[in-house]
Amino acid sequence: MSALRVLAALGVVVVFAAWGEAGHEIPYYPSFYPQEITLGFAESASVPRLFAKNAIHAYVGPLSAPKGAAKLAWVHSLRGFVVLTFNPSSRAFADARDRCAAAARLGAALATTKTEYVVHPYPVTPWHDDYVHHGDLVETAKTRATVTAAAGPALKLRVRSGLAAPPAGPAWRTAEKEWDATLEEISLRALLREEATRLNGWIGPPWLKEGWFQAHALYARGVTEAGARGAIEETFTRRIRGAYASAAERVNLERRLVSLLTRGCERVPLGVALRREAVNDDYSEGVENVGYDGQEGLGSAVFFRTVKLKDFPWNGWLRVAAVARPTAAWNPIGGFSDETGGLLWSALGDAAVLPEPYGGGWLPNRVRAVEVSGPVEVPPDALVPEPATGALRPVAPGVVARQRVTYRVALSKFHDETKMSVADVVYPYVFAHRWSAKDRQVERATALPREWLAAVRVVKVDTEIRDFGDLQVFLDTPVVEVYLRHAAEPAEAPAIAPPWSAVPWQLLVLMEEAVTRGLAAFSEDEARRHGVPWLDLARDRKLGDALGAIAEGFERRAYVPEALRGLVSVEQARQRWAALRRFRRQHGHWLVTSGPYGLQKWSGDSIVLAVFRDLSYPNVVGSFDRYAFPLRAWVAGVERRGDRLELQVEAQTLTKFERAYKIVREPMRLPPPGEKARDTLVAHWTVVSAADEVVATGRAHEVQGGRLIVDLKGKLPPGAYRVLLAMVLNGNSMDTEVKVIPYRVAE
């Protein structure tokens, strides 16, 4: 390692050691491993050459394995769904029975044909956390796919580019004109473009990664029969609004929804397509500790929060290439909406919570839900935003919320060196209500929190102390209660309307003023509709100068929006505006955030981000290490003892030697009660009756005699059942295997 690299690797220690005791370093390194990230752009054809020259450490985008790719490591994630979509104008297949039969004939042929995708004839896949709830239905669909259906009209098949046409057969022929059905891949990212909501520090909806939700997005629009459409939307609404009495009823709603969506065979599931992405695994020049998302791959927040260079214990210069240059504007409201922009924002801006990389839940990031309870009466000192203005008013007497989520909010400094405050935390609620009627993108992105939010209440601001000997860091931690009109699953509720903003309130106000004056628009659609620029806080110099004049006037007036009066003093406002203007003079842009990285420089060929290592930042090097190297587990054997199922488990183990590692599947030793376990192992189980109704569902983690115990005592009336079992190791439910066990309870 060169002397320059040694100094760079030690830089953070030297800086922090100056604050610590002589001869000691502070064991606390805010932000994440790389000190600098360079994001470049490359077409896939040129990527093998870049890897061979060690010019990049990772490529965010699909890549075929090049020859001699020994220095590369690969990650796999869900890319999309392969479906058969029938032409609603086709007279030959106007009847649902004919459509289903034709799809069955094609599916049976594909099941025995080598394809570039994985044959999977059911909407919910192993890459969904809720796959275990559908295991028996998946088995039925797979069995049906292997049975050739009765003869029927020949299908005139159109095949979209990117997919190979199936082998010719008497039941179908390829056609481009007057086609009956289309064989196509629907990209997951394209599918969720209108379903996902990302605004400032909010990500949603909470069920974004669930199979039933994605099935609704993929199939609902194609259903033609009015009665079926009504039943679908009624079931979907009940599920997302928590209109069920038990976990079993919830799972039944999800299973019923998927069944309704595909019953008419307007669109039929045939398989899943996987994304392969590469990272540099060179002994010296490569990277390790790579986390990714089971559905987003490397293009996710967890990648930058885990990856580290092999030659550096921390720090170092990370070089990443993306498929395309960013095309969307850079603003945290309606910008960063393309794939590369989303990757950039995942490093610049901190979301309140992050999607679990290998599951369907949410990870605490800048807020942590400490309690989910309800129903509860909303206290009189809670505040609610007015629908049109966003002004915060006391809640009406006697309001009862279905659910209350209590958060602890981890404040820190913004990149302009100002300290976050309660005003920053509550202003997004004001913004959402004020602008939802003025910008369609804001309306869509904030629809869920606006519909669900009953009130918000700042309970208190605690002070947490981090003690490093001679240095003590004092952190303000607001405790905030958010009251919801509906009740969600406890794992989903924290993601609905969290009290958080990735940017300071004065930057939101500055953007609002620019849009109000007609200088720009938050979203691309509104910019096009009004004939103004799409608001860009960095690359639009003309707009940047105009924002400077506005900010100067706001500093002179010590401007505070009406909704924040009482939360922000005149002096605090003047300091905030001065700091924002100073930041722009120093950095050449207005993109102030509280995230782990800041925008340092950019050009047409690359973007450079610099780490923000401030001691007030709550996440540190290693905070997300548990999401590197996702390992899997399987049910290897099941033995019934009375009302219990005793599970033998096999799991992958990771063995590291210097900078190499090996993953091996072997029987898993489960430590006895009282002994601390290195790994977290949970059995997800669901019991289905002979009538295909879910009667019980849950999770088991009790260990006895080296086996995992699923105790069904008292949960089932007499009858015949199927028990669906799946193992989740350290939160990884991706690419899981479901075992279906017959089970009978005697009279």
Side-chain angles (χ1 to χ4, degrees):
M1 190 186 300
S2 69
L4 179 61
R5 289 190 174 185
V6 171
L7 287 175
L10 294 177
V12 68
V13 178
V14 172
V15 171
F16 291 163
W19 286 315
E21 297 177 1
H24 297 277
E25 64 182 60
I26 299 172
Y28 180 87
Y29 306 109
S31 192
F32 305 108
Y33 290 103
Q35 72 187 47
E36 184 178 282
I37 300 171
T38 298
L39 179 61
F41 320 106
E43 295 182 354
S44 58
S46 64
V47 170
R49 178 173 51 83
L50 295 174
F51 274 125
K53 295 166 56 179
N54 290 320
I56 59 174
H57 295 108
Y59 183 63
V60 183
L63 187 68
S64 299
K67 293 181 179 179
K71 295 197 306 180
L72 299 183
W74 299 86
V75 301
H76 299 81
S77 55
L78 179 62
R79 187 180 74 201
F81 305 94
V82 178
V83 296
L84 184 69
T85 306
F86 279 89
N87 184 350
S89 301
S90 172
R91 295 182 179 180
F93 295 94
D95 186 271
R97 289 169 296 184
D98 292 331
R99 291 194 296 269
C100 293
R105 290 191 291 271
L106 181 61
L110 293 176
T112 58
T113 303
K114 185 177 180 180
T115 63
E116 64 269 38
Y117 52 88
V118 180
V119 174
H120 185 78
Y122 191 79
V124 181
T125 78
W127 299 89
H128 294 113
D129 183 63
D130 54 330
Y131 180 60
V132 64
H133 301 319
H134 301 259
D136 59 323
L137 302 177
V138 173
E139 280 196 350
T140 301
K142 287 182 176 180
T143 301
R144 191 165 52 238
T146 62
V147 178
T148 304
L155 183 69
K156 289 180 284 186
L157 186 65
R158 182 175 65 168
V159 181
R160 291 289 193 192
S161 61
L163 289 178
W172 63 85
R173 63 177 185 270
T174 57
E176 289 300 323
K177 296 181 179 179
E178 297 183 0
W179 49 276
D180 296 315
T182 301
L183 182 65
E184 57 187 334
E185 178 188 331
I186 306 296
S187 159
L188 179 60
R189 287 176 176 169
L191 175 69
L192 297 182
R193 190 169 292 132
E194 294 302 316
E195 306 293 336
T197 55
R198 289 178 172 84
L199 185 142
N200 195 353
W202 291 346
I203 302 177
W207 31 82
L208 181 65
K209 294 179 68 176
E210 296 290 340
W212 60 266
F213 178 78
Q214 294 179 8
H216 180 267
L218 181 57
Y219 295 95
R221 291 187 182 92
V223 175
T224 56
E225 201 271 312
R229 286 202 308 269
I232 286 169
E233 294 313 311
E234 185 269 339
T235 305
F236 182 73
T237 301
R238 283 185 61 194
R239 170 58 184 89
I240 64 174
R241 289 192 175 177
Y244 45 83
S246 66
E249 186 179 354
R250 169 180 59 81
V251 176
N252 277 320
L253 285 173
E254 295 167 3
R255 287 163 58 101
R256 180 170 185 262
L257 175 65
V258 173
S259 175
L260 289 169
L261 288 165
T262 55
R263 184 172 296 172
C265 292
E266 290 93 348
R267 173 173 275 174
V268 181
L270 295 177
V272 293
L274 300 182
R275 180 191 302 107
R276 287 168 49 88
E277 294 174 298
V279 298
N280 191 331
D281 196 35
D282 183 79
Y283 183 86
S284 178
E285 297 290 337
V287 292
E288 59 185 351
N289 208 59
V290 175
Y292 60 97
D293 187 277
Q295 295 186 8
E296 293 189 347
L298 295 178
S300 59
V302 74
F303 172 59
F304 287 135
R305 286 160 173 78
T306 55
V307 64
K308 64 178 178 179
L309 286 80
K310 290 185 177 182
D311 264 359
F312 295 85
W314 51 81
N315 279 358
W317 295 267
L318 179 69
R319 300 181 299 276
V320 177
V323 175
R325 289 173 171 78
T327 56
W330 292 354
N331 81 71
I333 304 303
F336 295 110
S337 52
D338 58 325
E339 288 186 22
T340 304
L343 179 67
L344 177 61
W345 181 244
S346 74
L348 289 174
D350 254 339
V353 292
L354 296 173
E356 285 185 349
Y358 316 114
W362 297 86
L363 303 177
N365 186 42
R366 298 303 299 267
V367 305
R368 178 167 56 91
V370 294
E371 183 185 35
V372 179
S373 59
V376 61
E377 184 172 341
V378 180
D381 58 340
L383 301 173
V384 59
E386 287 187 344
T389 67
L392 297 171
R393 307 298 186 202
V395 71
V399 173
V400 175
R402 289 280 309 280
Q403 202 164 46
R404 178 182 64 197
V405 186
T406 304
Y407 297 89
R408 292 182 67 83
V409 185
L411 303 186
S412 65
K413 282 186 178 180
F414 289 109
H415 295 171
D416 64 0
E417 297 296 330
T418 59
K419 291 176 60 177
M420 297 181 69
S421 69
V422 167
D424 300 297
V425 168
V426 301
Y427 197 70
Y429 300 120
V430 177
F431 180 92
H433 285 76
R434 177 183 296 166
W435 285 92
S436 60
K438 302 176 183 178
D439 188 300
R440 295 170 187 172
Q441 173 65 19
V442 176
E443 178 186 25
R444 189 184 72 82
T446 63
L448 186 72
R450 284 186 292 107
E451 178 192 346
W452 282 61
L453 182 68
V456 60
R457 175 175 178 250
V458 179
V459 180
K460 59 181 177 178
V461 179
D462 286 339
T463 300
E464 296 182 0
I465 302 175
R466 290 175 178 163
D467 194 339
F468 303 110
D470 286 351
L471 173 69
Q472 288 185 324
V473 179
F474 295 82
L475 302 178
D476 290 338
T477 305
V479 177
V480 182
E481 294 173 345
V482 173
Y483 295 86
L484 302 176
R485 294 190 179 100
H486 311 290
E489 289 295 300
E492 298 170 348
I496 291 176
W500 177 250
S501 176
V503 300
W505 65 261
Q506 73 272 18
L507 181 57
L508 289 175
V509 170
L510 184 63
M511 289 189 287
E512 288 179 285
E513 186 65 18
V515 174
T516 299
R517 296 187 185 190
L519 300 176
F522 290 118
S523 65
E524 182 179 20
D525 288 345
E526 290 299 305
R528 187 182 297 114
R529 194 157 70 94
H530 294 287
V532 297
W534 190 0
L535 197 156
D536 194 305
L537 293 172
R539 297 173 296 178
D540 188 335
R541 290 189 175 275
K542 181 179 178 181
L543 177 62
D545 292 341
L547 292 175
I550 297 172
E552 182 181 10
F554 281 165
E555 180 187 355
R556 192 165 51 248
R557 295 161 49 196
Y559 177 71
V560 179
E562 181 184 354
L564 295 183
R565 290 172 188 170
L567 293 175
V568 179
S569 69
V570 170
E571 184 57 32
Q572 288 169 337
R574 185 171 285 112
Q575 291 173 356
R576 283 292 191 101
W577 289 113
L580 185 61
R581 294 181 62 217
R582 184 166 56 250
F583 178 89
R584 201 262 173 156
R585 290 194 299 270
Q586 293 172 346
H587 296 86
H589 64 85
W590 295 96
L591 200 51
V592 175
T593 78
S594 60
Y597 291 90
L599 179 62
Q600 182 173 340
K601 58 184 178 181
W602 63 93
S603 68
D605 296 321
S606 65
I607 303 165
V608 179
L609 309 179
V611 73
F612 185 63
R613 294 210 191 277
D614 185 85
L615 284 175
S616 69
Y617 187 74
N619 293 321
V620 300
V621 165
S623 291
F624 291 85
D625 280 1
R626 62 191 180 278
Y627 300 108
F629 300 110
L631 302 176
R632 300 171 61 198
W634 296 264
V635 178
V638 181
E639 184 175 350
R640 179 174 179 177
R641 291 184 181 273
D643 296 320
R644 307 190 326 171
L645 297 177
E646 298 186 357
L647 312 184
Q648 297 170 307
V649 181
E650 291 183 354
Q652 292 176 326
T653 59
L654 177 71
T655 303
K656 295 191 69 174
F657 178 74
E658 294 183 344
R659 296 181 178 182
Y661 64 90
K662 181 171 66 173
I663 295 177
V664 178
R665 175 174 171 171
E666 60 187 12
M668 185 175 188
R669 178 189 175 274
L670 302 180
E675 180 180 324
K676 186 176 181 180
R678 184 185 64 180
D679 298 300
T680 302
L681 181 69
V682 179
H684 291 201
W685 58 268
T686 297
V687 182
V688 182
S689 72
D692 288 336
E693 287 289 313
V694 173
V695 294
T697 186
R699 300 181 178 187
H701 48 76
E702 179 187 358
V703 174
Q704 291 184 14
R707 297 184 177 188
L708 198 62
I709 306 301
V710 176
D711 191 350
L712 300 177
K713 184 176 181 179
K715 294 181 172 66
L716 308 174
Y721 301 95
R722 300 183 300 280
V723 181
L724 318 181
L725 298 167
M727 304 308 305
V728 176
L729 180 61
N730 297 328
N732 180 19
S733 60
M734 297 293 102
D735 197 18
T736 190
E737 180 182 285
V738 178
K739 188 173 284 291
V740 181
I741 306 296
Y743 188 90
R744 176 173 289 277
V745 178
E747 295 286 348

